[in-house]
Amino acid sequence: MITVSNLTKIYGKLKAVDDFSFEVRPGEIVGLLGPNGAGKTSTLQCIVGIQTPSAGVIRIDGHNMAEDPVAAKRSLAFMADEPNLFDYLTVSEHLRLTARLYNVSDFDARFSALMEELQLTEKVSALPAELSRGMKQKVAIACGLLHEPKALLFDEPLTGLDPLGISHMKKTIVTRGRAGGAVIVSSHLLHLVEEICTRVVIIDRGRKVADGTIAEISAQAAAEGSSLEQAFLKITGPAA
Amino acid sequence: MGPLLYLTLCSVRNRIVVRLRRLKEPRYAVGMVVGLGYLWFVFLRPRRVPGGISGLLASAEARTAIELAGAAILFFSAALTAVLSSWLPTMRRPALNFSKGEIQFLFPAPLTRKELVRYKVLRTQVGVLIASAVLTIVFRGASLANGWMVFAGMTLILANLNLYNTGLVLNQRQGAWRLAPGIIAAAATITLAGVTALDWGALSSLSSAGDVFREITRLANTGPAAIVLWPFRALVRLPLAQTPAAFLRALPGPVSMLTLAYVWTVNSNASFEEGSAELAERIARIRRGPQPSAPKVRSMAAPFRLALTGRPETAILWKNLIAVGRYLSLTTLLRFLPLLFVLPMLLARGSRGGVSAAMAGLCVAIYIMTILLGPQLARNDLRQDLGNLRALKTWPVNGAAIVRGEVAAPAVLLTLIAWLCALYGLIFAASLEVPPSWAVAAALLAPGLILVQLLAQNASAVLWPSWTLQGAGRARGVEVMGQRLIMMLGLLVVLVVAVLPAAAGGAAIGFAVYFVTGAVAIIPAAAGAAAILFAEAFIASQMIGALLDRTDVSAIDAPG
C-alpha cells in the first residue's frame, strides 16, 4: 500500500534522508522510530507530498507520488504532530471542506459517526480559537479519517491528548489497521509503538538501521528478551 | 558578565549575524542594495534647500512656538495616561512586555524581581534608540553634522516617556498610591485651565494671531503654568538646541528626570508576571495571524452551502469567502447599502452637475484604485494560506485548481467593487453626457485586469514564499524592504506585459468594427481585450499550479 524506494532528501549540504526504503502492507501498523533529527518527519512529509524527494520513488496504493500525486493523495491521510487548522473555519466546516476535496458522498453519516467517536459533537460550531490543543488534534484526525483512507500516517499522535483521548487515539489507530489500512506511526513513545505496532522501522542519521517485528529487532540488536527501548538505544546509541 | 547582559548581547549579536549571513543570498543582497538606495534617495541625499528641523528653526519665535506646542503635547499625553491608568481599570495593561521565551527561562530563574525589571526596562531602550535614529533622519537639517543633538534629544524624550509609562503601570498596582499620578495630573491640568480662564479677558480682546501667541508665551513663562510646563519644555528644548553649548545647558533637567523615572520604575514592588504572561500569549496570537472573535461566529453563516461534489476551486472559494465574512462584518457593510443606492440617486438628479461630476470622478478614482491596489491589499488567497501550505499539499487537488480556487475569492470581491464603481459612475455621468459604453467597457475589463494581477501576486508567493509570508515567519529589515520594492516593480512589469496583448487585441477588434460599420465600438473592443486577459489568466494559473506542485515547503525561510 505504501512503498518507499531509495528515498533521499537533501537540504543544502545536509542529507536528511539517505537511500531509505521500506514498505507498509494493508493491515500493518508500522512504527517509524529514530532519534531527534534522524529524518522521520522529512520521510513522512515526502511520503504525503508536502516535500519533494531529492531522489527515490514513493507509491501509495500503486500511484507514484511524483507522477500522479492527486490519485496518490486520494488514498492517504496525514495527521501531523501540530494540528494546523484554518483559523476561520468551524469544526463542521473543516469536515465539509475535506468531504468536498476528497469527494465523500455519504458525508452526513460519516460526519456524525466521527464526531461521536472523537467526542466532538458539542464542538461542531466552534472555531479553532475556541478549542484546546487536544480538541484541535481531534479535528485534524477527524478530517484525516473522513474519507476512509487506505494509508494513514500519524506523526506523534498522542501529543496534547488527555488520558481518555490517548486511549481513544490508540483504539482509532488499531481499528484502522485491523480494517485493512496501512498505517505508519512516528513517535518517540516506545511503549506506544510496542503496544500498537505490528512492525518497526528504525531510522538513524537518514538511513534505515532496523526493520522487523519487535522480536526480530531485539534479535538484530543482540538484545534478545529485552524491551524495544533497550534494543532502540543499542541500535541508535553512540556505539552503533 | 551578568546573565541578563549576556542574553542581551548574544541576542543583538546573533540577530546582526543572521542578517549579515543571509546577505550571502543574492535575493537579500540585491534587496539590501535597493533598500539602502531607496532610504538614501528619500531621506539621506543632500538637500539644496535647508529642510527638516533646521529649516523650521530659522527664527527664535518659531523655536519658542515649537517648544510650547511640543511641551503641550507631551503634557496632555502624560496627564491623560496618568488619569486613565488611575481611574479606568480597562486601560490597565501589563507594564513589561516579556516574550514567551523570557517568561519560560527568566521567571523561574534565581533572579530578583528588581533584576528582571531593570533588564526589561534597559532592553526596551534599544527600541528607543532605533526610534530616535529614525526621527533624527526624518527631522534632520541640510546635513547630519548637528544631527547628534537631535538624536540625543529625541532619545532623552522617548526614554523619559517610556520609563514614565512603565513606572505608571507598575505603580498603579500599589494600593493606596495607585491614584497619586492621576490626582497630580488632574491638579496640573486644572492649574493650566485656571490660568487660561483667569487671563481669558485679555486673550479674547487681542486681535492678531501674533499678539495671542505673545500672550500665551508670557503665561507659559510666568506663575504656576511655568512650573507645570517646565519638565516638558526642558525635554523639548534638547532636540531644538542650535549649538552644543545650548544643548549642554539644557541637559541637566532631562537627565535628572530620567534618573528619577528610572529609580521610581526599577524600585517598584508591583506584580507584573501574570500580566506579562498574558501579554506574551496575546502577542503570540497576533503574530500567528488574525483571529476571529468567538462570539460573532455563530451569527455569521457561510456565504453559500458547499455541495459535496463538484470542482475543488469552488470549495476553496467557499473557504476563503468564509474568511472574509468573519474578518469583516457583512452585516455592517450591508447597513451602508441603502446609503450607497440613495445618495447617488439624489445627487445625480436635477442640475447638480458639479456634485455629479465630483461623484463620477470619485467612482473613477475608486475603480482605478481597486484595479491597481486591490490585488495587493486583498490577500485572502494563497498569500494568506502560505502558513497552511503543508495542509494544502496533502489535498488530492492539482496545483492549478488550488491556485484558481485561491484567487477566486479576492477576484470576486474586487470585481464587485469595480462593477459598483462602474454602475455609480454611469448614474452620476448621466447628466455629464458621458457615453454609457465607457462604464460597460470598464465593467468588462475589470475582472481580467484583477485576475492577472492576483495571479502575479500569487506567483510571487509560490516562487518566493519568504517574500510574501506574514506574521511570525515574516523576514524583516532594509533588505526585505528592498525586496518588496523589487516585487512591486516586477508586478508592474507583469501588468504591462499582460495588458499589451489584450490592448492590441481589443484595438484590432475596435478598428475592425469601425471599418465595417463606421461606429466607434468600445464595448466589442473591451470584450475582446477581456477575453484575452481571461485566456492569459488561465494559462498563468496552469503555470503557477505546476510551480506549486513542485514547491517544497522546506523552501519557506525561517524568520529573519
Side-chain angles (χ1 to χ4, degrees):
Chain A
M1 180 60 64
I2 303 172
T3 312
V4 177
S5 311
N6 310 105
L7 174 68
T8 299
K9 179 67 189 172
I10 300 168
Y11 304 104
K13 291 175 186 168
L14 174 74
K15 201 178 251 190
V17 184
D18 186 7
D19 200 27
F20 186 30
S21 301
F22 71 102
E23 191 182 355
V24 186
R25 288 176 288 272
E28 266 193 323
I29 303 176
V30 171
L32 182 63
L33 301 180
N36 290 332
K40 299 188 298 293
T41 300
S42 291
T43 302
L44 289 183
Q45 295 200 344
C46 286
I47 293 173
V48 299
I50 291 175
Q51 292 193 22
T52 315
S54 307
V57 176
I58 290 156
R59 287 182 182 279
I60 309 292
D61 197 18
H63 302 287
N64 186 322
M65 182 58 83
E67 291 166 5
D68 192 0
V70 173
K73 288 173 184 177
R74 203 156 274 148
S75 310
L76 201 119
F78 176 51
M79 271 63 80
D81 56 340
E82 190 62 41
N84 287 313
L85 304 178
F86 294 103
D87 292 333
Y88 42 82
L89 292 193
T90 63
V91 171
S92 63
E93 286 165 351
H94 270 94
L95 274 98
R96 182 163 274 274
L97 175 70
T98 309
R100 170 67 171 254
L101 293 168
Y102 287 85
N103 288 322
V104 177
S105 50
D106 54 340
F107 170 72
D108 291 332
R110 289 194 201 183
F111 173 75
S112 306
L114 276 171
M115 292 297 100
E116 192 80 27
E117 181 184 338
L118 294 163
Q119 300 160 308
L120 287 168
T121 312
E122 288 172 12
K123 298 285 181 186
V124 289
S125 301
L127 282 176
E130 299 169 88
L131 300 174
S132 67
R133 194 197 175 285
M135 285 285 184
K136 286 182 198 166
Q137 181 89 334
K138 286 180 180 179
V139 176
I141 288 161
C143 290
L145 299 179
L146 185 72
H147 62 288
E148 295 184 348
K150 294 175 187 170
L152 299 95
L153 289 87
F154 294 86
D155 193 2
E156 295 293 353
L158 303 190
T159 310
L161 296 181
D162 59 17
L164 189 64
I166 289 172
S167 169
H168 274 107
M169 176 56 70
K170 286 196 274 196
K171 198 174 151 197
T172 298
I173 296 171
V174 171
T175 307
R176 263 65 190 183
R178 283 189 187 146
V183 183
I184 298 177
V185 178
S186 169
S187 180
H188 286 299
L189 302 174
L190 298 180
H191 63 86
L192 167 75
V193 173
E194 227 167 356
E195 190 181 334
I196 64 169
C197 293
T198 55
R199 194 155 66 85
V200 172
V201 174
I202 300 178
I203 180 172
D204 189 19
R205 278 160 276 188
R207 297 188 73 90
K208 185 166 83 175
V209 289
D211 184 349
T213 62
I214 291 164
E216 286 168 349
I217 283 176
S218 298
Q220 186 188 335
E224 193 107 33
S226 64
S227 69
L228 178 62
E229 183 178 347
Q230 286 164 316
F232 176 81
L233 292 174
K234 191 156 188 182
I235 290 168
T236 61
Chain B
M1 188 190 300
L4 296 175
L5 178 62
Y6 174 77
L7 171 64
T8 307
L9 292 179
C10 285
S11 304
V12 172
R13 183 198 62 201
N14 291 342
R15 183 168 289 202
I16 293 167
V17 167
V18 167
R19 290 269 173 92
L20 291 176
R21 197 178 287 157
R22 75 182 183 192
L23 287 178
K24 285 181 190 166
E25 291 181 48
R27 58 182 175 153
Y28 283 113
V30 173
M32 176 63 102
V33 170
V34 174
L36 286 175
Y38 173 78
L39 283 178
W40 178 86
F41 184 80
V42 174
F43 297 113
L44 296 172
R45 79 195 148 99
R47 295 172 185 166
R48 285 179 191 165
V49 180
I53 208 158
S54 61
L56 285 168
L57 301 177
S59 71
E61 201 167 46
R63 278 200 300 278
T64 310
I66 293 171
E67 185 185 310
L68 281 177
I73 291 167
L74 287 182
F75 168 78
F76 284 115
S77 95
L80 192 69
T81 317
V83 170
L84 290 178
S85 67
S86 289
W87 281 294
L88 282 182
T90 51
M91 295 299 291
R92 285 173 205 163
R93 58 188 170 77
L96 299 166
N97 175 9
F98 284 93
S99 70
K100 288 186 107 174
E102 286 169 334
I103 288 167
Q104 195 168 334
F105 282 93
L106 302 182
F107 281 20
L111 296 164
T112 63
R113 297 161 59 78
K114 194 181 278 189
E115 280 175 310
L116 282 176
V117 175
R118 197 164 51 212
Y119 158 74
K120 202 63 212 176
V121 163
L122 292 176
R123 187 82 194 260
T124 313
Q125 304 315 309
V126 176
V128 165
L129 288 172
I130 293 168
S132 304
V134 172
L135 288 170
T136 305
I137 290 170
V138 173
F139 289 120
R140 78 198 167 85
S143 76
L144 281 173
N146 284 335
W148 69 269
M149 289 189 290
V150 180
F151 174 71
M154 290 291 186
T155 303
L156 276 166
I157 291 177
L158 295 180
N160 264 296
L161 283 178
N162 178 273
L163 281 173
Y164 167 76
N165 283 328
T166 308
L168 208 58
V169 182
L170 275 175
N171 284 284
Q172 75 183 359
R173 297 163 195 275
Q174 301 270 52
W177 289 101
R178 184 170 61 81
L179 299 179
I183 292 168
I184 294 169
T189 310
I190 291 165
T191 305
L192 284 187
V195 167
T196 313
L198 286 173
D199 198 50
W200 189 250
L203 273 171
S204 55
S205 66
L206 297 170
S207 54
S208 76
D211 290 341
V212 172
F213 170 68
R214 275 184 284 280
E215 180 60 14
I216 289 173
T217 309
R218 188 192 66 76
L219 284 177
N221 285 335
T222 53
I227 298 167
V228 169
L229 288 176
W230 176 82
F232 306 99
R233 291 184 71 179
L235 281 172
V236 179
R237 219 169 274 149
L238 279 174
L240 298 178
Q242 294 292 285
T243 61
F247 182 85
L248 288 174
R249 275 198 305 277
L251 200 56
V255 169
S256 308
M257 284 190 277
L258 189 70
T259 311
L260 278 174
Y262 178 77
V263 171
W264 178 51
T265 304
V266 168
N267 286 309
S268 159
N269 201 25
S271 160
F272 58 83
E273 288 87 345
E274 200 178 321
S276 298
E278 279 171 19
L279 181 67
E281 184 53 44
R282 211 160 59 228
I283 289 171
R285 267 205 308 273
I286 290 166
R287 284 182 179 163
R288 280 199 297 270
Q291 304 271 323
S293 55
K296 291 179 184 169
V297 175
R298 282 170 190 84
S299 63
M300 176 54 68
F304 56 89
R305 187 173 170 78
L306 182 69
L308 291 167
T309 51
R311 296 194 65 83
E313 287 96 326
T314 320
I316 301 169
L317 165 70
W318 175 82
K319 171 183 86 64
N320 288 351
L321 284 178
I322 288 179
V324 176
R326 284 175 185 160
Y327 290 149
L328 302 172
S329 164
L330 277 179
T331 323
T332 311
L333 290 177
L334 287 174
R335 279 185 199 133
F336 291 98
L337 208 57
L339 195 68
L340 288 175
F341 275 105
V342 173
L343 189 69
M345 297 290 184
L346 288 174
L347 291 171
R349 272 176 48 200
S351 59
R352 296 182 184 182
V355 178
S356 293
M359 293 301 285
L362 186 68
C363 288
V364 172
I366 298 174
Y367 175 86
I368 292 170
M369 275 167 55
T370 306
I371 301 284
L372 292 180
L373 294 179
Q376 290 183 46
L377 301 175
R379 298 170 66 96
N380 58 322
D381 49 26
L382 207 48
R383 289 167 286 174
Q384 183 183 279
D385 256 349
L386 274 182
N388 293 316
L389 202 53
R390 282 181 167 78
L392 264 59
K393 293 281 284 181
T394 64
W395 289 351
V397 178
N398 67 51
I402 290 180
V403 170
R404 280 192 292 271
E406 289 283 3
V407 297
V412 165
L413 293 171
L414 292 172
T415 300
L416 278 176
I417 296 171
W419 281 356
L420 271 176
C421 289
L423 176 68
Y424 286 132
L426 192 65
I427 294 167
F428 290 127
S431 62
L432 303 173
E433 295 175 5
V434 175
S437 56
W438 285 78
V440 177
L444 282 171
L445 286 170
L449 287 170
I450 289 166
L451 260 180
V452 292
Q453 288 182 89
L454 283 170
L455 285 162
Q457 294 274 357
N458 281 267
S460 68
V462 174
L463 281 167
W464 305 288
S466 58
W467 289 30
T468 314
L469 212 60
Q470 295 293 299
R474 185 182 56 172
R476 294 172 176 86
V478 176
E479 59 274 37
V480 177
M481 186 179 73
Q483 288 177 346
R484 296 202 200 297
L485 289 169
I486 296 170
M487 196 186 278
M488 277 176 67
L489 192 69
L491 290 169
L492 197 66
V493 172
V494 167
L495 180 63
V496 171
V497 169
V499 164
L500 276 179
I509 292 169
F511 279 121
V513 175
Y514 178 74
F515 281 122
V516 173
T517 65
V520 178
I522 191 167
I523 293 177
I532 294 171
L533 285 169
F534 274 115
E536 287 175 349
F538 181 78
I539 294 166
S541 72
Q542 292 295 117
M543 290 164 71
I544 302 164
L547 273 173
L548 183 66
D549 284 333
R550 288 199 300 272
T551 299
D552 195 325
V553 265
S554 58
I556 295 179
D557 284 357

